[in-house]
Amino acid sequence: MTTELQVDAEVTLSPPSTFLSPCSKFRILVLGNPEATKQELFSKVFGVELEKRLVSDTFDPKHNIESELDLQGQNDRLAVHASPNFLNGDQKNYNRVLEFLSRRSASADYTEHIHMIWYCVSTSEEDRGISDLEKHFFTQDITSVHVPVVLVYTKYDEFVSRIMLEWMKGAGSTERGVSKVAVGHILKDISSKRFEEDIGCHWNMILPFSIPRVCVSSGDEDDDIRSFQQLANSTLASLKGEADVKLAFATAQRSSPVISTQFCAEAATDYYEVDTGHARKIHGVDMRDILPNFFAKAAQIFNLRDPSSVLTDPLLLNRVLDSTFGTHQKPLLAESLRRSGTESGSILLSLSPHERAVLLTQALAGIVLFLHMLADSQWPHAGTLPTSAPLSPGYTFSTPTTPHFPSHSGSVNTDLSQRQISRELEDLRLGMGKSILLDKIESSSIFTECQLKQDISELILKAVTLAEKLEITGAGENNYRFAYHQHHDAMFLEGGYGGNEDGVGKGTAMGDSLSAADMIRDMSMTFVNDNNELREGTAGEGKVKLACGLTILPLN
């Protein structure tokens, strides 16, 4: 992610085609068995849907560890190897794994190295012990393989279900009057303690402190999804000091859009220079060259499922910027994409270096926000990074931090379409998140008090995160987005949804006379304040009549 200086002092941006060349694939070894390793491990972290039989066959002792799993073209940034774990004490298999790791580490091509090991242990097996080979691997041989390891406790949902049944048969039967919320907290506490007593403490005795331990669940509830986000976060954190491998993982994972946003923000720093405390657009390169260069690289980082190459539409960048900026800024954006900033007669000549840096940062952040929104609608996550509640040194459980609203995409891991692109562009145009993003950047002191390029990266990350939080987790905003999409999809299917020549729809759910800001304000106040005077009918119906005259039906 560097720029190349030519002899004539002009700057040539590194082409997107070589952006990921140092390590074009993230290569992982999964050690498990059919009981401990399920296909959700691959679908919810890497966005690849594999048949159950295919996953089970890879943990057969006869499976060739050198053979990559056939991902059927679903994720070109990922290579997966698999082998049985060491529970059964198979010395031949153990030696084969160590030889495989040693051979891969000796390769001159860094892409061929094994970058991570997931060691899978099922929590649903009540009497599962720790074999002598497992003890030997984690206490001795692990230091010689030179590959980071994450211990993955799988099927934690089944463990919790078993604890719940035991509790219901015992103390739970005498506490019929306890609320569901209270029961949930009680069960979470009991499950955590029982896990530590029955499973966790035994592994903690042999595991080095540096090895993360993550519990994952196979269900589709918010906590289940967040558990796989935690696995993605722990995997990334274990790749210490390996920038190219970290980037490879960031492009391979499809669990946390925040990870993708972080690496896009870091890539954006290539277009700046810091001089005497001032952050400025890099000299010798116009915005008309920077913006398409960055858009192509950012699209690679997010690695969305795009078999139809929707993101390569040459008009898409213009549409993203048009949806991001206000009316007074659009002439500047149009000029920056059409003409050189040093060309005689260009209105860009009237901008100070500070103003050019702000405009560039807003444009780059707008691109990232758009891609983040696409990932929100495509990936199987809850829209927020999980926080971790430590239970014992070295391992964590994910805990919910924000409410999760229904996904408007209808399903996870879906392919991109022009309809989805238009829908997210309309969200970006109508939403209030972009105003937060633009204001956050314009008011920042980074451009006059910058010490490191990392400061620019952090500003972009904060601006996008704040904007996306408003778009996804804000109660009024999110319900507006979901209701709007229902209308949009219905009109599209019925052939009644018009659009301009770029494919952007002209209609809105609320009518042309009502502004998005007014509508969002009405809906936000209604849902947040729960104004009973606006509700019609009985409490069970839950219909809401807004001041603008619009009636909102319950979403579930």
Side-chain angles (χ1 to χ4, degrees):
M1 296 189 298
T2 60
T3 54
E4 302 169 357
L5 291 178
Q6 296 181 333
V7 177
D8 58 2
E10 293 183 356
V11 177
T12 301
L13 299 176
S14 60
S17 60
T18 63
F19 178 56
L20 300 176
S21 295
C23 188
S24 59
K25 283 189 177 185
F26 184 76
R27 192 173 297 274
I28 186 170
L29 171 63
V30 181
L31 298 176
N33 56 47
E35 173 64 26
T37 313
K38 300 300 180 182
Q39 58 265 48
E40 288 87 358
L41 202 62
F42 306 101
S43 64
K44 292 184 178 179
V45 177
F46 299 113
V48 292
E49 302 290 346
L50 302 177
E51 294 182 3
K52 181 178 181 180
R53 180 177 179 180
L54 173 63
V55 176
S56 297
D57 289 347
T58 59
F59 298 104
D60 189 295
K62 298 178 181 178
H63 173 73
N64 184 3
I65 192 174
E66 289 284 357
S67 299
E68 299 178 17
L69 266 69
D70 181 9
L71 304 182
Q72 302 166 354
Q74 297 180 68
N75 193 336
D76 294 336
R77 302 300 178 194
L78 176 68
V80 179
H81 297 264
S83 181
N85 60 24
F86 310 135
L87 173 62
N88 294 331
D90 186 340
Q91 186 69 49
K92 184 177 180 180
N93 174 63
Y94 185 85
N95 294 338
R96 182 168 58 244
V97 170
L98 294 185
E99 291 170 2
F100 168 76
L101 292 171
S102 177
R103 187 165 56 253
R104 284 279 173 173
S105 298
S107 174
D109 184 357
Y110 206 34
T111 302
E112 296 298 318
H113 289 206
I114 296 298
H115 306 129
M116 171 59 61
I117 298 173
W118 283 350
Y119 195 93
C120 299
V121 174
S122 173
T123 62
S124 65
E125 302 173 65
E126 295 187 42
D127 300 323
R128 191 209 192 279
I130 302 176
S131 72
D132 291 339
L133 280 182
E134 288 177 323
K135 294 177 182 177
H136 189 80
F137 177 73
F138 283 106
T139 58
Q140 298 185 43
D141 287 335
I142 196 170
T143 58
S144 63
V145 300
H146 304 296
V147 179
V149 179
V150 173
L151 185 68
V152 184
Y153 294 116
T154 63
K155 305 173 75 171
Y156 183 68
D157 51 324
E158 295 185 18
F159 176 84
V160 173
S161 296
R162 176 162 55 86
I163 300 302
M164 180 179 67
L165 289 175
E166 293 177 3
W167 182 80
M168 292 298 293
K169 291 178 180 179
S173 61
T174 64
E175 301 181 23
R176 299 291 184 183
V178 180
S179 69
K180 291 182 179 180
V181 175
V183 169
H185 286 292
I186 292 172
L187 287 175
K188 181 171 290 189
D189 184 60
I190 293 175
S191 299
S192 299
K193 292 180 178 178
R194 280 289 302 275
F195 178 86
E196 167 66 13
E197 295 170 357
D198 296 353
I199 301 174
C201 65
H202 303 297
W203 284 96
N204 291 339
M205 293 174 61
I206 67 168
L207 290 176
F209 183 83
S210 59
I211 293 182
R213 280 138 269 187
V214 181
C215 293
V216 296
S217 301
S218 299
D220 293 319
E221 298 298 323
D222 289 354
D223 283 357
D224 302 327
I225 296 172
R226 273 185 282 264
S227 71
F228 286 95
Q229 281 189 308
Q230 184 62 54
L231 176 57
N233 298 332
S234 296
T235 300
L236 177 61
S238 299
L239 302 171
K240 299 177 181 178
E242 301 174 359
D244 293 333
V245 176
K246 286 184 176 182
L247 178 59
F249 175 74
T251 62
Q253 67 88 30
R254 289 171 174 156
S255 175
S256 171
V258 178
I259 291 177
S260 305
T261 295
Q262 173 189 337
F263 280 82
C264 283
E266 292 178 4
T269 62
D270 284 349
Y271 309 111
Y272 296 85
E273 56 190 19
V274 177
D275 183 24
T276 63
H278 293 76
R280 298 290 183 259
K281 179 183 75 68
I282 193 168
H283 289 294
V285 182
D286 289 317
M287 282 183 61
R288 64 179 179 180
D289 298 318
I290 290 176
L291 295 180
N293 183 276
F294 176 73
F295 185 87
K297 292 177 179 178
Q300 291 183 60
I301 292 175
F302 272 90
N303 189 26
L304 297 161
R305 291 176 61 132
D306 186 21
S308 300
S309 300
V310 176
L311 292 178
T312 62
D313 180 354
L315 297 178
L316 183 54
L317 174 59
N318 298 60
R319 294 170 65 191
V320 172
L321 297 175
D322 184 72
S323 297
T324 301
F325 285 90
T327 304
H328 67 288
Q329 292 174 303
K330 289 181 181 180
L332 283 174
L333 262 296
E335 185 87 349
S336 66
L337 289 172
R338 189 178 75 253
R339 304 176 65 180
S340 170
T342 59
E343 185 177 334
S344 176
S346 171
I347 60 176
L348 297 176
L349 290 173
S350 63
L351 297 181
S352 67
H354 175 94
E355 291 170 329
R356 294 189 187 198
V358 171
L359 184 65
L360 173 61
T361 308
Q362 290 174 327
L364 297 179
I367 291 171
V368 178
L369 176 59
F370 168 70
L371 293 172
H372 193 135
M373 292 170 66
L374 283 178
D376 272 325
S377 66
Q378 188 184 73
W379 293 352
H381 64 88
T384 178
L385 268 176
T387 56
S388 301
L391 299 172
S392 184
Y395 70 91
T396 60
F397 292 88
S398 62
T399 55
T401 57
T402 59
H404 174 50
F405 295 94
S407 169
H408 54 263
S409 62
S411 61
V412 298
N413 291 331
T414 55
D415 295 337
L416 285 183
S417 65
Q418 285 290 354
R419 182 178 66 175
Q420 187 179 2
I421 292 291
S422 297
R423 188 169 61 185
E424 297 303 334
L425 286 172
E426 191 74 352
D427 271 350
L428 182 60
R429 183 179 70 84
L430 294 176
M432 301 180 70
K434 70 176 186 181
S435 298
I436 298 295
L437 179 140
L438 298 175
D439 292 345
K440 175 70 175 177
I441 293 173
E442 186 173 4
S443 63
S444 175
S445 61
I446 289 297
F447 303 100
T448 55
E449 300 176 1
C450 185
Q451 301 299 320
L452 301 169
K453 285 187 177 182
Q454 185 65 27
D455 296 337
I456 304 168
S457 172
E458 292 176 358
L459 172 61
I460 293 175
L461 179 60
K462 288 179 181 178
V464 173
T465 302
L466 285 173
E468 181 61 13
K469 182 178 293 186
L470 178 61
E471 293 286 351
I472 294 299
T473 65
E477 176 82 3
N478 196 79
N479 279 280
Y480 154 69
R481 288 184 69 192
F482 186 70
Y484 170 78
H485 288 317
Q486 298 304 303
H487 171 84
H488 180 289
D489 291 346
M491 293 294 287
F492 188 95
L493 293 174
E494 295 169 4
Y497 194 84
N500 60 25
E501 59 188 16
D502 288 333
V504 181
K506 293 184 293 186
T508 67
M510 311 306 174
D512 295 335
S513 61
L514 180 63
S515 73
D518 290 337
M519 182 168 48
I520 294 170
R521 182 175 61 251
D522 277 348
M523 298 183 77
S524 297
M525 292 181 66
T526 300
F527 283 98
V528 173
N529 297 330
D530 194 22
N531 191 335
N532 290 323
E533 294 180 359
L534 297 179
R535 297 193 178 276
E536 296 182 330
T538 63
E541 292 177 336
K543 294 190 295 184
V544 179
K545 187 172 183 179
L546 304 183
C548 64
L550 182 69
T551 298
I552 305 298
L553 300 178
L555 296 178
N556 48 33

